[in-house]
Every structure is written in structure tokens, then in C-alpha cells.
Amino acid sequence: MHAHPYVLYYWPEIPGRGEFVRLVLEEAGAAYVDVGRRPPREGGGMEAVIAYWTGQREGHPIFAPPVLKHGDFVLAQTAAICHWLGCRHWLAPDDEPGRMHALELQLTIADLVGEVHDTHHPIAASLYYDDQKPEAARRAAHFTSERLPRFLGYFERVLDRNGGDALIGTHPSHADLSLFQALEGLAYAFPRAFARASEATPGLLALRERVRARPRI
């Protein structure tokens, strides 16, 4: 079923949304090629990612990286990729309701990541941070005071309702891996605000450390 290695197209110098996909691939022990991080002489690098993104290949148009290719199959959007990989590699529940709940959680994490992104680029992603500093400061203040505690509180409730070991089911899913990455990013980008907000979510902090300690992570 997995004869072909996966091929990931994402920007080489930032973790970004591509890191969520990498975590699922690593936890699955799947063979994959990270095109952006390969040298240009081997068909990799930034130019290879841009060429794929701008449609210089067969297949349906994609809006933005990350993109995952497996044989002739091409899929974009972080949440969709993580869900698809999770279902193929036993990182999602076996039943359809469970799998859809895992996707729901993955999409909520994507909402969180989008709001974090907007604290640095509230006007336009094409503008530098220095071009929108006042707006970014206002957006970040709103995010850290209102949205961050709400997101963390929600995932803490999900974790607690499921028994405290994983977001869904009895084993880590693709949603747990993505939440780990989101928590790492929050702690890096907003260290003081994250420390304050996470005082009320000890379960999430424990989940973060459990995922971090997994051998393949």
C-alpha cells in the first residue's frame, strides 16, 4: 500500500505548516523526500518548491504549500494531509465517527495557527511585519488576552473528557502531534502569555511532554 515514498513540498528554511506534516510522517516511520531541504543538484531547494507551487507539473492546481505527493496522488492543505496520513498509518481512530472527530480537532488547530499568523501579518501576508507593527501589536494583545486562553481551555476540556492521555481514542493521533507543534510554537512566540494561560491547562502541558518524548519525535 505504501510502495512509493511520500514527497513533501514545503519551504526549506522555516518549520511553518510543513512541520505538522513532517511530524506525522516521522511518527509513522514513513519513507519520504523533503524536496525543499534537498540540494538543487538533486532536484530540490526553493526553486523546486516554487516550480511545483506555480503549476509547472501535471495535476490539479494547488493554492499553497505544503503539498504531499504519493505516486500520482497530490494533496494540499495541512489538515487534509495530516488526516489522510493519519488514517493510512494508524494515527487515527478505526471508526468513521472517530476519524471525523480527529479531523475536526485538526481543523480547529488550523484555526489556531491561522490566528497566530495574523498576529504578525494582520493586514496582509505580503507585507513585512515592520509595515504593520501597530496593527500587529493590537492583534497580538487581543489574541493573547482572549483567544489564546479560549483555545487552550477548549483542548484541555477535550483531553479531560477523553481521559487525559490523548485527544481522542487511547493512542496518539495526528491531532495530538499537531497540537504538540502548536503548543511549541505558542511557547516560542508568546512565552509570557503562554506561561500564564497554560497554568490552567496542566493536561495540555503533560501531553506536550509525552509527545516530545516519543522516540520518533
Side-chain angles (χ1 to χ4, degrees):
M1 181 171 67
H2 312 305
H4 298 285
Y6 296 103
V7 182
L8 174 65
Y9 291 84
Y10 195 69
W11 314 120
E13 297 180 356
I14 58 172
R17 289 176 171 85
E19 196 72 3
F20 295 87
V21 178
R22 293 186 187 104
L23 286 173
V24 180
L25 289 166
E26 291 289 343
E27 177 64 22
Y32 71 100
V33 177
D34 200 332
V35 173
R37 293 181 172 177
R38 301 190 80 180
R41 65 178 179 275
E42 296 179 13
M46 178 73 81
E47 293 302 319
V49 177
I50 292 174
Y52 202 86
W53 172 35
T54 54
Q56 299 174 41
R57 46 105 190 140
E58 296 180 357
H60 65 272
I62 56 98
F63 185 73
V67 183
L68 192 73
K69 187 174 184 293
H70 189 248
D72 294 329
F73 179 71
V74 176
L75 184 64
Q77 286 288 358
T78 304
I81 296 170
C82 290
H83 174 68
W84 184 70
L85 285 172
C87 291
R88 286 170 64 85
H89 291 281
W90 304 281
L91 290 169
D94 294 332
D95 61 301
E96 185 177 13
R99 290 188 170 195
M100 295 312 296
H101 185 200
L103 176 58
E104 175 190 341
L105 294 169
Q106 188 69 246
L107 289 167
T108 306
I109 294 166
D111 290 341
L112 167 59
V113 172
E115 291 200 26
V116 171
H117 175 271
D118 288 348
T119 64
H120 287 260
H121 301 279
I123 303 300
S126 58
L127 295 176
Y128 289 111
Y129 169 70
D130 286 344
D131 297 325
Q132 46 195 323
K133 263 187 173 181
E135 296 87 356
R138 186 177 179 186
R139 184 64 181 265
H142 172 72
F143 174 78
T144 55
S145 64
E146 297 186 27
R147 301 296 289 169
L148 176 58
R150 182 174 179 181
F151 274 110
L152 295 186
Y154 165 72
F155 285 114
E156 182 80 3
R157 292 195 303 275
V158 171
L159 189 62
D160 182 66
R161 183 73 62 87
N162 192 50
D165 291 331
L167 290 173
I168 185 169
T170 57
H171 304 288
S173 70
H174 59 85
D176 294 280
L177 299 172
S178 290
L179 183 58
F180 161 76
Q181 179 62 16
L183 294 174
E184 289 288 279
L186 289 167
Y188 176 81
F190 307 103
R192 293 190 296 272
F194 179 76
R196 289 194 301 269
S198 61
E199 287 179 358
T201 58
L204 291 188
L205 295 180
L207 175 67
R208 178 187 176 199
E209 296 309 313
R210 285 196 299 275
V211 174
R212 187 201 308 280
R214 295 185 67 79
R216 288 173 175 164
I217 300 302

